[in-house]
Amino acid sequence: MEQRMELYNGRPEDVTGRLEREIRTYDFLDKLGISYQRTDHDRADNMEACNEIDAILGVIICKNLFLCNRQKTNFYLLMMPGDKKFKTKELSAQINSARLSFAEAEDMLKYLDIEPGAVSIMGLMNDKENHVKLLIDEDVLKDDYLGCHPCVCTSSLKLKTKDVTEIFLPATNHTYQTVHLVGED
């Protein structure tokens, strides 16, 4: 990564050049009184870059997968530890939905106002009609903090897991289903 990453408390002082969806994320968190730490970085498109971000934040950033059923009638946001492998069959049985696949970028934009590479639980604030069901791997819930993007892939946040589940999700009118993923071959 080119720039030296730093850890900041809260929103950027200068929002020049930042996307509206990112600023909206900070506005929403601030309105809810949720404190967070933030780091800005280049687009993280490999594990080495992600590991560097994790080290700055002191948390493992969740792997967020946007999934749908074959008919595209049910959409799911799955949060899981970044080091676990995703196995469709393992999840399908738990949520009673066969033939899960990755949803299209257009659906991601339509329901979460997020583009590929920036999928995040923060996008649920944009899902006003609850089209997306949240699934969280139990291991994510065991940590005191979680890491995610503020709807863009050039910044990352560290939030208290409890603040996300007890304040953020109710404010977005979403609940979650805990899932158990082994993620082994």
Side-chain angles (χ1 to χ4, degrees):
M1 294 193 165
E2 312 275 313
Q3 64 189 32
R4 163 127 168 62
M5 286 187 289
E6 291 184 42
L7 193 60
Y8 302 96
N9 289 314
R11 71 187 305 125
E13 288 180 26
D14 181 10
V15 294
T16 306
R18 293 183 186 259
L19 293 177
E20 195 269 332
R21 63 174 62 114
E22 178 185 6
I23 297 163
R24 195 169 56 232
T25 303
Y26 303 136
D27 290 345
F28 194 71
L29 291 171
D30 293 347
K31 185 181 91 175
L32 295 175
I34 295 176
S35 62
Y36 53 94
Q37 291 184 299
R38 173 187 54 83
T39 189
D40 298 323
H41 48 78
D42 295 331
R43 184 181 182 94
D45 50 14
N46 61 53
M47 280 315 294
E48 189 178 284
C50 292
N51 291 339
E52 196 176 331
I53 296 164
D54 291 352
I56 295 288
L57 289 175
V59 67
I60 293 175
I61 296 204
C62 294
K63 185 186 303 184
N64 293 273
L65 304 177
F66 190 53
L67 308 166
C68 65
N69 62 352
R70 185 180 56 191
Q71 301 83 2
K72 291 189 170 191
T73 53
N74 295 321
F75 292 89
Y76 305 92
L77 176 60
L78 171 64
M79 291 178 70
M80 61 187 286
D83 56 358
K84 272 192 186 181
K85 286 189 174 104
F86 172 63
K87 300 231 179 293
T88 310
K89 186 177 176 184
E90 191 178 34
L91 181 63
S92 294
Q94 292 181 57
I95 64 170
N96 210 9
S97 179
R99 305 214 182 189
L100 282 177
S101 64
F102 291 100
E104 300 292 328
E106 302 85 57
D107 293 321
M108 195 181 294
L109 199 55
K110 177 180 175 181
Y111 296 122
L112 300 177
D113 191 24
I114 292 179
E115 295 178 358
V119 180
S120 164
I121 190 171
M122 295 293 118
L124 292 177
M125 70 182 201
N126 302 315
D127 180 28
K128 307 280 189 219
E129 296 176 14
N130 290 77
H131 292 284
V132 180
K133 181 172 172 114
L134 178 61
L135 309 170
I136 306 178
D137 180 78
E138 62 191 2
D139 288 340
V140 170
L141 296 169
K142 289 177 185 173
D143 288 331
D144 290 335
Y145 291 90
L146 62 82
C148 65
H149 292 304
C151 299
V152 294
C153 63
T154 51
S155 291
S156 295
L157 305 177
K158 176 182 179 178
L159 304 118
K160 285 185 182 169
T161 304
K162 190 175 175 182
D163 286 349
V164 172
T165 58
E166 296 179 10
I167 301 171
F168 177 81
L169 288 177
T172 66
N173 201 25
H174 283 79
T175 57
Y176 66 92
Q177 177 181 341
T178 305
V179 293
H180 170 76
L181 301 174
V182 179
E184 295 173 356
D185 291 322

